Amino acid sequence: MIIGKVCGSVVSTRKNENLIGNKFLIVEPQDDMGIKGKIVAIDNVGAGIGEIVLVATGSAARIGSGQNTAPVDAAIVGIVDEL
């Protein structure tokens, strides 16, 4: 599980058919997460730019987002209220 801040969005008009209708956000992991660079995550919880979120990766991302057959490697699974 990664904690990060949503810093942007991605628009993709052509994508895998299993991803149609999904929202993609750019997440910058917190420094202490040990991850360099930003990641693109599917958003099913309604997060917005500037919010702190929880991101699941790998197979947990597909299960957590209900996208078992989609090529999803990162999914926002929660919005952080307080750290």
Side-chain angles (χ1 to χ4, degrees):
M1 191 80 65
I2 298 167
I3 297 175
K5 185 175 185 176
V6 178
C7 59
S9 62
V10 175
V11 177
S12 174
T13 55
R14 295 184 67 177
K15 55 189 158 267
N16 180 283
E17 65 183 33
N18 293 327
L19 297 174
I20 294 172
N22 288 292
K23 179 174 143 185
F24 301 97
L25 295 176
I26 301 170
V27 178
E28 185 171 14
Q30 287 189 335
D31 292 336
D32 57 354
M33 293 285 112
I35 298 171
K36 294 183 181 185
K38 298 173 184 167
I39 58 175
V40 176
I42 193 170
D43 175 40
N44 289 329
V45 298
I49 295 174
E51 290 189 294
I52 305 296
V53 295
L54 295 172
V55 179
T57 58
S59 61
R62 285 188 298 281
I63 295 167
S65 65
Q67 301 286 333
N68 295 339
T69 60
V72 174
D73 189 48
I76 297 172
V77 295
I79 299 172
V80 176
D81 294 322
E82 186 176 331
L83 287 174

